[in-house]
PDB file of all heavy atoms in Angstrom:
ATOM      1  N   TYR F   1      18.441  -6.490  15.583  1.00 92.00           N
ATOM      2  CA  TYR F   1      18.817  -7.883  15.298  1.00 92.00           C
ATOM      3  C   TYR F   1      20.263  -8.129  15.697  1.00 92.00           C
ATOM      4  O   TYR F   1      21.140  -7.285  15.476  1.00 92.00           O
ATOM      5  CB  TYR F   1      18.632  -8.183  13.812  1.00 92.00           C
ATOM      6  CG  TYR F   1      17.172  -8.154  13.382  1.00 92.00           C
ATOM      7  CD1 TYR F   1      16.709  -7.165  12.518  1.00 92.00           C
ATOM      8  CD2 TYR F   1      16.274  -9.105  13.851  1.00 92.00           C
ATOM      9  CE1 TYR F   1      15.385  -7.126  12.117  1.00 92.00           C
ATOM     10  CE2 TYR F   1      14.948  -9.075  13.448  1.00 92.00           C
ATOM     11  CZ  TYR F   1      14.496  -8.094  12.592  1.00 92.00           C
ATOM     12  OH  TYR F   1      13.194  -8.061  12.219  1.00 92.00           O
ATOM     13  N   SER F   2      20.480  -9.316  16.256  1.00 92.00           N
ATOM     14  CA  SER F   2      21.832  -9.669  16.719  1.00 92.00           C
ATOM     15  C   SER F   2      22.729 -10.122  15.564  1.00 92.00           C
ATOM     16  O   SER F   2      23.947 -10.242  15.742  1.00 92.00           O
ATOM     17  CB  SER F   2      21.750 -10.786  17.773  1.00 92.00           C
ATOM     18  OG  SER F   2      21.050 -11.918  17.245  1.00 92.00           O
ATOM     19  N   LEU F   3      22.150 -10.379  14.404  1.00 90.00           N
ATOM     20  CA  LEU F   3      22.915 -10.813  13.238  1.00 90.00           C
ATOM     21  C   LEU F   3      22.495 -10.009  12.011  1.00 90.00           C
ATOM     22  O   LEU F   3      21.349  -9.575  11.903  1.00 90.00           O
ATOM     23  CB  LEU F   3      22.684 -12.307  12.952  1.00 90.00           C
ATOM     24  CG  LEU F   3      23.159 -13.321  14.000  1.00 90.00           C
ATOM     25  CD1 LEU F   3      22.699 -14.724  13.594  1.00 90.00           C
ATOM     26  CD2 LEU F   3      24.682 -13.284  14.130  1.00 90.00           C
ATOM     27  N   THR F   4      23.447  -9.827  11.101  1.00 90.00           N
ATOM     28  CA  THR F   4      23.093  -9.253   9.798  1.00 90.00           C
ATOM     29  C   THR F   4      22.576 -10.381   8.902  1.00 90.00           C
ATOM     30  O   THR F   4      22.680 -11.565   9.229  1.00 90.00           O
ATOM     31  CB  THR F   4      24.317  -8.607   9.138  1.00 90.00           C
ATOM     32  OG1 THR F   4      25.287  -9.635   8.849  1.00 90.00           O
ATOM     33  CG2 THR F   4      24.938  -7.550  10.048  1.00 90.00           C
ATOM     34  N   ALA F   5      22.023  -9.995   7.746  1.00 88.00           N
ATOM     35  CA  ALA F   5      21.491 -11.007   6.816  1.00 88.00           C
ATOM     36  C   ALA F   5      22.602 -11.931   6.327  1.00 88.00           C
ATOM     37  O   ALA F   5      22.423 -13.155   6.217  1.00 88.00           O
ATOM     38  CB  ALA F   5      20.814 -10.313   5.639  1.00 88.00           C
ATOM     39  N   THR F   6      23.771 -11.342   6.038  1.00 86.00           N
ATOM     40  CA  THR F   6      24.897 -12.144   5.570  1.00 86.00           C
ATOM     41  C   THR F   6      25.370 -13.099   6.657  1.00 86.00           C
ATOM     42  O   THR F   6      25.668 -14.279   6.398  1.00 86.00           O
ATOM     43  CB  THR F   6      26.057 -11.238   5.129  1.00 86.00           C
ATOM     44  OG1 THR F   6      25.603 -10.370   4.093  1.00 86.00           O
ATOM     45  CG2 THR F   6      27.222 -12.072   4.607  1.00 86.00           C
ATOM     46  N   GLN F   7      25.442 -12.609   7.910  1.00 88.00           N
ATOM     47  CA  GLN F   7      25.862 -13.463   9.020  1.00 88.00           C
ATOM     48  C   GLN F   7      24.876 -14.613   9.243  1.00 88.00           C
ATOM     49  O   GLN F   7      25.280 -15.752   9.509  1.00 88.00           O
ATOM     50  CB  GLN F   7      25.999 -12.622  10.295  1.00 88.00           C
ATOM     51  CG  GLN F   7      27.187 -11.675  10.282  1.00 88.00           C
ATOM     52  CD  GLN F   7      27.191 -10.732  11.473  1.00 88.00           C
ATOM     53  OE1 GLN F   7      26.140 -10.468  12.092  1.00 88.00           O
ATOM     54  NE2 GLN F   7      28.371 -10.212  11.817  1.00 88.00           N
ATOM     55  N   LEU F   8      23.586 -14.304   9.122  1.00 87.00           N
ATOM     56  CA  LEU F   8      22.576 -15.344   9.289  1.00 87.00           C
ATOM     57  C   LEU F   8      22.754 -16.439   8.224  1.00 87.00           C
ATOM     58  O   LEU F   8      22.706 -17.638   8.540  1.00 87.00           O
ATOM     59  CB  LEU F   8      21.175 -14.735   9.175  1.00 87.00           C
ATOM     60  CG  LEU F   8      20.005 -15.746   9.178  1.00 87.00           C
ATOM     61  CD1 LEU F   8      19.981 -16.539  10.483  1.00 87.00           C
ATOM     62  CD2 LEU F   8      18.680 -15.014   8.965  1.00 87.00           C
ATOM     63  N   THR F   9      22.975 -16.011   6.992  1.00 84.00           N
ATOM     64  CA  THR F   9      23.176 -16.986   5.905  1.00 84.00           C
ATOM     65  C   THR F   9      24.386 -17.861   6.176  1.00 84.00           C
ATOM     66  O   THR F   9      24.333 -19.093   6.036  1.00 84.00           O
ATOM     67  CB  THR F   9      23.352 -16.262   4.568  1.00 84.00           C
ATOM     68  OG1 THR F   9      22.193 -15.465   4.304  1.00 84.00           O
ATOM     69  CG2 THR F   9      23.547 -17.254   3.433  1.00 84.00           C
ATOM     70  N   GLU F  10      25.488 -17.251   6.558  1.00 85.00           N
ATOM     71  CA  GLU F  10      26.715 -18.012   6.802  1.00 85.00           C
ATOM     72  C   GLU F  10      26.552 -18.971   7.978  1.00 85.00           C
ATOM     73  O   GLU F  10      27.040 -20.118   7.931  1.00 85.00           O
ATOM     74  CB  GLU F  10      27.869 -17.039   7.065  1.00 85.00           C
ATOM     75  CG  GLU F  10      28.275 -16.260   5.814  1.00 85.00           C
ATOM     76  CD  GLU F  10      29.346 -15.229   6.096  1.00 85.00           C
ATOM     77  OE1 GLU F  10      29.590 -14.954   7.297  1.00 85.00           O
ATOM     78  OE2 GLU F  10      29.922 -14.678   5.140  1.00 85.00           O
ATOM     79  N   HIS F  11      25.861 -18.527   9.050  1.00 84.00           N
ATOM     80  CA  HIS F  11      25.648 -19.395  10.196  1.00 84.00           C
ATOM     81  C   HIS F  11      24.816 -20.624   9.818  1.00 84.00           C
ATOM     82  O   HIS F  11      25.158 -21.763  10.186  1.00 84.00           O
ATOM     83  CB  HIS F  11      24.945 -18.623  11.322  1.00 84.00           C
ATOM     84  CG  HIS F  11      25.889 -17.875  12.201  1.00 84.00           C
ATOM     85  ND1 HIS F  11      26.520 -16.716  11.821  1.00 84.00           N
ATOM     86  CD2 HIS F  11      26.333 -18.136  13.482  1.00 84.00           C
ATOM     87  CE1 HIS F  11      27.292 -16.266  12.790  1.00 84.00           C
ATOM     88  NE2 HIS F  11      27.204 -17.116  13.817  1.00 84.00           N
ATOM     89  N   LEU F  12      23.735 -20.413   9.067  1.00 81.00           N
ATOM     90  CA  LEU F  12      22.845 -21.527   8.736  1.00 81.00           C
ATOM     91  C   LEU F  12      23.436 -22.457   7.684  1.00 81.00           C
ATOM     92  O   LEU F  12      23.153 -23.652   7.677  1.00 81.00           O
ATOM     93  CB  LEU F  12      21.489 -20.984   8.259  1.00 81.00           C
ATOM     94  CG  LEU F  12      20.619 -20.406   9.383  1.00 81.00           C
ATOM     95  CD1 LEU F  12      19.276 -19.959   8.828  1.00 81.00           C
ATOM     96  CD2 LEU F  12      20.395 -21.432  10.485  1.00 81.00           C
ATOM     97  N   VAL F  13      24.253 -21.915   6.782  1.00 78.00           N
ATOM     98  CA  VAL F  13      24.905 -22.782   5.789  1.00 78.00           C
ATOM     99  C   VAL F  13      25.742 -23.840   6.493  1.00 78.00           C
ATOM    100  O   VAL F  13      25.770 -25.010   6.086  1.00 78.00           O
ATOM    101  CB  VAL F  13      25.768 -21.950   4.823  1.00 78.00           C
ATOM    102  CG1 VAL F  13      26.714 -22.848   4.035  1.00 78.00           C
ATOM    103  CG2 VAL F  13      24.876 -21.166   3.856  1.00 78.00           C
ATOM    104  N   LYS F  14      26.402 -23.447   7.587  1.00 79.00           N
ATOM    105  CA  LYS F  14      27.192 -24.410   8.356  1.00 79.00           C
ATOM    106  C   LYS F  14      26.293 -25.454   9.015  1.00 79.00           C
ATOM    107  O   LYS F  14      26.642 -26.628   9.103  1.00 79.00           O
ATOM    108  CB  LYS F  14      28.012 -23.681   9.419  1.00 79.00           C
ATOM    109  CG  LYS F  14      29.062 -22.734   8.853  1.00 79.00           C
ATOM    110  CD  LYS F  14      29.786 -21.992   9.966  1.00 79.00           C
ATOM    111  CE  LYS F  14      30.796 -21.002   9.395  1.00 79.00           C
ATOM    112  NZ  LYS F  14      31.471 -20.229  10.467  1.00 79.00           N
ATOM    113  N   LYS F  15      25.117 -24.997   9.473  1.00 77.00           N
ATOM    114  CA  LYS F  15      24.192 -25.928  10.121  1.00 77.00           C
ATOM    115  C   LYS F  15      23.604 -26.926   9.119  1.00 77.00           C
ATOM    116  O   LYS F  15      23.273 -28.056   9.476  1.00 77.00           O
ATOM    117  CB  LYS F  15      23.042 -25.154  10.795  1.00 77.00           C
ATOM    118  CG  LYS F  15      23.485 -24.090  11.782  1.00 77.00           C
ATOM    119  CD  LYS F  15      24.270 -24.677  12.936  1.00 77.00           C
ATOM    120  CE  LYS F  15      24.666 -23.583  13.943  1.00 77.00           C
ATOM    121  NZ  LYS F  15      25.542 -24.115  15.012  1.00 77.00           N
ATOM    122  N   PHE F  16      23.469 -26.475   7.863  1.00 74.00           N
ATOM    123  CA  PHE F  16      22.867 -27.333   6.844  1.00 74.00           C
ATOM    124  C   PHE F  16      23.793 -28.477   6.416  1.00 74.00           C
ATOM    125  O   PHE F  16      23.346 -29.445   5.808  1.00 74.00           O
ATOM    126  CB  PHE F  16      22.498 -26.531   5.599  1.00 74.00           C
ATOM    127  CG  PHE F  16      21.471 -25.461   5.858  1.00 74.00           C
ATOM    128  CD1 PHE F  16      21.352 -24.383   5.005  1.00 74.00           C
ATOM    129  CD2 PHE F  16      20.634 -25.535   6.961  1.00 74.00           C
ATOM    130  CE1 PHE F  16      20.413 -23.398   5.246  1.00 74.00           C
ATOM    131  CE2 PHE F  16      19.697 -24.551   7.207  1.00 74.00           C
ATOM    132  CZ  PHE F  16      19.589 -23.477   6.345  1.00 74.00           C
ATOM    133  N   SER F  17      25.080 -28.357   6.695  1.00 79.00           N
ATOM    134  CA  SER F  17      26.035 -29.363   6.224  1.00 79.00           C
ATOM    135  C   SER F  17      25.691 -30.761   6.753  1.00 79.00           C
ATOM    136  O   SER F  17      25.883 -31.769   6.064  1.00 79.00           O
ATOM    137  CB  SER F  17      27.450 -28.981   6.645  1.00 79.00           C
ATOM    138  OG  SER F  17      27.547 -28.920   8.071  1.00 79.00           O
ATOM    139  N   ALA F  18      25.139 -30.812   7.981  1.00 82.00           N
ATOM    140  CA  ALA F  18      24.779 -32.116   8.559  1.00 82.00           C
ATOM    141  C   ALA F  18      23.662 -32.774   7.742  1.00 82.00           C
ATOM    142  O   ALA F  18      23.659 -33.995   7.538  1.00 82.00           O
ATOM    143  CB  ALA F  18      24.347 -31.949  10.008  1.00 82.00           C
ATOM    144  N   ILE F  19      22.702 -31.958   7.271  1.00 83.00           N
ATOM    145  CA  ILE F  19      21.606 -32.499   6.457  1.00 83.00           C
ATOM    146  C   ILE F  19      22.150 -33.015   5.130  1.00 83.00           C
ATOM    147  O   ILE F  19      21.764 -34.091   4.656  1.00 83.00           O
ATOM    148  CB  ILE F  19      20.528 -31.421   6.217  1.00 83.00           C
ATOM    149  CG1 ILE F  19      19.982 -30.915   7.558  1.00 83.00           C
ATOM    150  CG2 ILE F  19      19.402 -31.970   5.354  1.00 83.00           C
ATOM    151  CD1 ILE F  19      18.974 -29.792   7.425  1.00 83.00           C
ATOM    152  N   ILE F  20      23.058 -32.232   4.524  1.00 82.00           N
ATOM    153  CA  ILE F  20      23.658 -32.655   3.249  1.00 82.00           C
ATOM    154  C   ILE F  20      24.429 -33.956   3.434  1.00 82.00           C
ATOM    155  O   ILE F  20      24.344 -34.876   2.608  1.00 82.00           O
ATOM    156  CB  ILE F  20      24.592 -31.564   2.707  1.00 82.00           C
ATOM    157  CG1 ILE F  20      23.804 -30.268   2.443  1.00 82.00           C
ATOM    158  CG2 ILE F  20      25.279 -32.029   1.434  1.00 82.00           C
ATOM    159  CD1 ILE F  20      22.734 -30.409   1.399  1.00 82.00           C
ATOM    160  N   GLU F  21      25.168 -34.061   4.542  1.00 85.00           N
ATOM    161  CA  GLU F  21      25.932 -35.282   4.806  1.00 85.00           C
ATOM    162  C   GLU F  21      25.007 -36.480   5.029  1.00 85.00           C
ATOM    163  O   GLU F  21      25.293 -37.598   4.576  1.00 85.00           O
ATOM    164  CB  GLU F  21      26.828 -35.077   6.025  1.00 85.00           C
ATOM    165  CG  GLU F  21      27.991 -34.127   5.769  1.00 85.00           C
ATOM    166  CD  GLU F  21      28.804 -33.863   7.018  1.00 85.00           C
ATOM    167  OE1 GLU F  21      28.517 -34.528   8.049  1.00 85.00           O
ATOM    168  OE2 GLU F  21      29.709 -33.022   6.988  1.00 85.00           O
ATOM    169  N   LEU F  22      23.878 -36.257   5.716  1.00 84.00           N
ATOM    170  CA  LEU F  22      22.919 -37.339   5.928  1.00 84.00           C
ATOM    171  C   LEU F  22      22.316 -37.804   4.601  1.00 84.00           C
ATOM    172  O   LEU F  22      22.193 -39.001   4.346  1.00 84.00           O
ATOM    173  CB  LEU F  22      21.807 -36.880   6.875  1.00 84.00           C
ATOM    174  CG  LEU F  22      20.692 -37.907   7.149  1.00 84.00           C
ATOM    175  CD1 LEU F  22      21.270 -39.155   7.814  1.00 84.00           C
ATOM    176  CD2 LEU F  22      19.596 -37.294   8.013  1.00 84.00           C
ATOM    177  N   GLN F  23      21.985 -36.829   3.771  1.00 82.00           N
ATOM    178  CA  GLN F  23      21.429 -37.186   2.466  1.00 82.00           C
ATOM    179  C   GLN F  23      22.469 -37.933   1.618  1.00 82.00           C
ATOM    180  O   GLN F  23      22.145 -38.937   0.975  1.00 82.00           O
ATOM    181  CB  GLN F  23      20.961 -35.937   1.732  1.00 82.00           C
ATOM    182  CG  GLN F  23      20.266 -36.252   0.400  1.00 82.00           C
ATOM    183  CD  GLN F  23      19.830 -35.003  -0.325  1.00 82.00           C
ATOM    184  OE1 GLN F  23      20.432 -33.940  -0.175  1.00 82.00           O
ATOM    185  NE2 GLN F  23      18.783 -35.105  -1.111  1.00 82.00           N
ATOM    186  N   SER F  24      23.708 -37.461   1.631  1.00 85.00           N
ATOM    187  CA  SER F  24      24.770 -38.127   0.877  1.00 85.00           C
ATOM    188  C   SER F  24      24.971 -39.552   1.373  1.00 85.00           C
ATOM    189  O   SER F  24      25.198 -40.477   0.580  1.00 85.00           O
ATOM    190  CB  SER F  24      26.083 -37.341   1.000  1.00 85.00           C
ATOM    191  OG  SER F  24      25.930 -36.036   0.464  1.00 85.00           O
ATOM    192  N   TYR F  25      24.861 -39.718   2.709  1.00 85.00           N
ATOM    193  CA  TYR F  25      25.007 -41.060   3.278  1.00 85.00           C
ATOM    194  C   TYR F  25      23.893 -41.981   2.787  1.00 85.00           C
ATOM    195  O   TYR F  25      24.148 -43.125   2.376  1.00 85.00           O
ATOM    196  CB  TYR F  25      24.983 -40.978   4.804  1.00 85.00           C
ATOM    197  CG  TYR F  25      24.845 -42.316   5.473  1.00 85.00           C
ATOM    198  CD1 TYR F  25      25.925 -43.171   5.626  1.00 85.00           C
ATOM    199  CD2 TYR F  25      23.589 -42.744   5.943  1.00 85.00           C
ATOM    200  CE1 TYR F  25      25.787 -44.411   6.223  1.00 85.00           C
ATOM    201  CE2 TYR F  25      23.442 -43.984   6.539  1.00 85.00           C
ATOM    202  CZ  TYR F  25      24.547 -44.812   6.681  1.00 85.00           C
ATOM    203  OH  TYR F  25      24.402 -46.032   7.264  1.00 85.00           O
ATOM    204  N   LEU F  26      22.660 -41.492   2.807  1.00 82.00           N
ATOM    205  CA  LEU F  26      21.521 -42.314   2.365  1.00 82.00           C
ATOM    206  C   LEU F  26      21.644 -42.669   0.884  1.00 82.00           C
ATOM    207  O   LEU F  26      21.361 -43.794   0.474  1.00 82.00           O
ATOM    208  CB  LEU F  26      20.210 -41.576   2.627  1.00 82.00           C
ATOM    209  CG  LEU F  26      19.803 -41.435   4.099  1.00 82.00           C
ATOM    210  CD1 LEU F  26      18.585 -40.546   4.231  1.00 82.00           C
ATOM    211  CD2 LEU F  26      19.533 -42.796   4.720  1.00 82.00           C
ATOM    212  N   VAL F  27      22.073 -41.682   0.090  1.00 83.00           N
ATOM    213  CA  VAL F  27      22.246 -41.932  -1.348  1.00 83.00           C
ATOM    214  C   VAL F  27      23.330 -42.987  -1.569  1.00 83.00           C
ATOM    215  O   VAL F  27      23.163 -43.917  -2.366  1.00 83.00           O
ATOM    216  CB  VAL F  27      22.596 -40.622  -2.090  1.00 83.00           C
ATOM    217  CG1 VAL F  27      23.019 -40.926  -3.526  1.00 83.00           C
ATOM    218  CG2 VAL F  27      21.411 -39.675  -2.086  1.00 83.00           C
ATOM    219  N   LYS F  28      24.447 -42.837  -0.848  1.00 85.00           N
ATOM    220  CA  LYS F  28      25.560 -43.789  -0.995  1.00 85.00           C
ATOM    221  C   LYS F  28      25.127 -45.197  -0.571  1.00 85.00           C
ATOM    222  O   LYS F  28      25.431 -46.184  -1.253  1.00 85.00           O
ATOM    223  CB  LYS F  28      26.758 -43.331  -0.172  1.00 85.00           C
ATOM    224  CG  LYS F  28      27.971 -44.264  -0.277  1.00 85.00           C
ATOM    225  CD  LYS F  28      29.123 -43.742   0.563  1.00 85.00           C
ATOM    226  CE  LYS F  28      30.329 -44.678   0.468  1.00 85.00           C
ATOM    227  NZ  LYS F  28      30.013 -46.051   0.943  1.00 85.00           N
ATOM    228  N   GLU F  29      24.440 -45.289   0.578  1.00 83.00           N
ATOM    229  CA  GLU F  29      23.994 -46.599   1.059  1.00 83.00           C
ATOM    230  C   GLU F  29      23.020 -47.245   0.074  1.00 83.00           C
ATOM    231  O   GLU F  29      23.102 -48.443  -0.212  1.00 83.00           O
ATOM    232  CB  GLU F  29      23.305 -46.447   2.424  1.00 83.00           C
ATOM    233  CG  GLU F  29      24.261 -46.210   3.572  1.00 83.00           C
ATOM    234  CD  GLU F  29      25.134 -47.422   3.842  1.00 83.00           C
ATOM    235  OE1 GLU F  29      24.605 -48.501   4.141  1.00 83.00           O
ATOM    236  OE2 GLU F  29      26.368 -47.273   3.730  1.00 83.00           O
ATOM    237  N   THR F  30      22.110 -46.432  -0.452  1.00 82.00           N
ATOM    238  CA  THR F  30      21.139 -46.958  -1.412  1.00 82.00           C
ATOM    239  C   THR F  30      21.828 -47.396  -2.695  1.00 82.00           C
ATOM    240  O   THR F  30      21.514 -48.454  -3.260  1.00 82.00           O
ATOM    241  CB  THR F  30      20.079 -45.884  -1.732  1.00 82.00           C
ATOM    242  OG1 THR F  30      19.495 -45.415  -0.514  1.00 82.00           O
ATOM    243  CG2 THR F  30      18.979 -46.452  -2.618  1.00 82.00           C
ATOM    244  N   LEU F  31      22.778 -46.597  -3.157  1.00 84.00           N
ATOM    245  CA  LEU F  31      23.508 -46.928  -4.374  1.00 84.00           C
ATOM    246  C   LEU F  31      24.351 -48.188  -4.176  1.00 84.00           C
ATOM    247  O   LEU F  31      24.378 -49.074  -5.048  1.00 84.00           O
ATOM    248  CB  LEU F  31      24.400 -45.750  -4.781  1.00 84.00           C
ATOM    249  CG  LEU F  31      25.067 -45.820  -6.162  1.00 84.00           C
ATOM    250  CD1 LEU F  31      24.016 -45.914  -7.255  1.00 84.00           C
ATOM    251  CD2 LEU F  31      25.956 -44.599  -6.383  1.00 84.00           C
ATOM    252  N   ASP F  32      25.014 -48.281  -3.023  1.00 86.00           N
ATOM    253  CA  ASP F  32      25.827 -49.470  -2.738  1.00 86.00           C
ATOM    254  C   ASP F  32      24.958 -50.727  -2.675  1.00 86.00           C
ATOM    255  O   ASP F  32      25.350 -51.793  -3.164  1.00 86.00           O
ATOM    256  CB  ASP F  32      26.580 -49.293  -1.411  1.00 86.00           C
ATOM    257  CG  ASP F  32      27.691 -48.267  -1.524  1.00 86.00           C
ATOM    258  OD1 ASP F  32      28.052 -47.902  -2.660  1.00 86.00           O
ATOM    259  OD2 ASP F  32      28.195 -47.824  -0.467  1.00 86.00           O
ATOM    260  N   GLU F  33      23.781 -50.589  -2.061  1.00 83.00           N
ATOM    261  CA  GLU F  33      22.879 -51.741  -1.979  1.00 83.00           C
ATOM    262  C   GLU F  33      22.393 -52.159  -3.363  1.00 83.00           C
ATOM    263  O   GLU F  33      22.296 -53.356  -3.673  1.00 83.00           O
ATOM    264  CB  GLU F  33      21.676 -51.386  -1.085  1.00 83.00           C
ATOM    265  CG  GLU F  33      20.621 -52.473  -0.960  1.00 83.00           C
ATOM    266  CD  GLU F  33      21.140 -53.740  -0.301  1.00 83.00           C
ATOM    267  OE1 GLU F  33      22.192 -53.685   0.374  1.00 83.00           O
ATOM    268  OE2 GLU F  33      20.483 -54.790  -0.453  1.00 83.00           O
ATOM    269  N   ALA F  34      22.089 -51.165  -4.215  1.00 84.00           N
ATOM    270  CA  ALA F  34      21.649 -51.481  -5.584  1.00 84.00           C
ATOM    271  C   ALA F  34      22.767 -52.151  -6.373  1.00 84.00           C
ATOM    272  O   ALA F  34      22.527 -53.102  -7.132  1.00 84.00           O
ATOM    273  CB  ALA F  34      21.195 -50.201  -6.285  1.00 84.00           C
ATOM    274  N   ILE F  35      24.006 -51.676  -6.175  1.00 88.00           N
ATOM    275  CA  ILE F  35      25.151 -52.285  -6.859  1.00 88.00           C
ATOM    276  C   ILE F  35      25.348 -53.720  -6.371  1.00 88.00           C
ATOM    277  O   ILE F  35      25.632 -54.632  -7.164  1.00 88.00           O
ATOM    278  CB  ILE F  35      26.426 -51.445  -6.626  1.00 88.00           C
ATOM    279  CG1 ILE F  35      26.303 -50.089  -7.348  1.00 88.00           C
ATOM    280  CG2 ILE F  35      27.665 -52.181  -7.114  1.00 88.00           C
ATOM    281  CD1 ILE F  35      27.423 -49.121  -7.041  1.00 88.00           C
TER     282      ILE F  35
END
């Protein structure tokens, strides 16, 4: 394997940040619209 388990986790955690930001954006937009 070209990566260790720890390296794989760290690499993907960085990739997941975009999903978290998208979800935060949707939550914020929905909350702002409700307000």
Side-chain angles (χ1 to χ4, degrees):
Y1 293 113
S2 56
L3 295 174
T4 65
T6 301
Q7 289 173 337
L8 174 61
T9 301
E10 290 176 347
H11 274 74
L12 287 183
V13 165
K14 296 177 182 178
K15 305 299 182 185
F16 298 158
S17 61
I19 302 177
I20 299 297
E21 289 176 6
L22 178 62
Q23 185 181 28
S24 299
Y25 168 79
L26 290 173
V27 170
K28 180 180 180 300
E29 285 293 300
T30 306
L31 190 60
D32 289 346
E33 177 63 18
I35 292 173

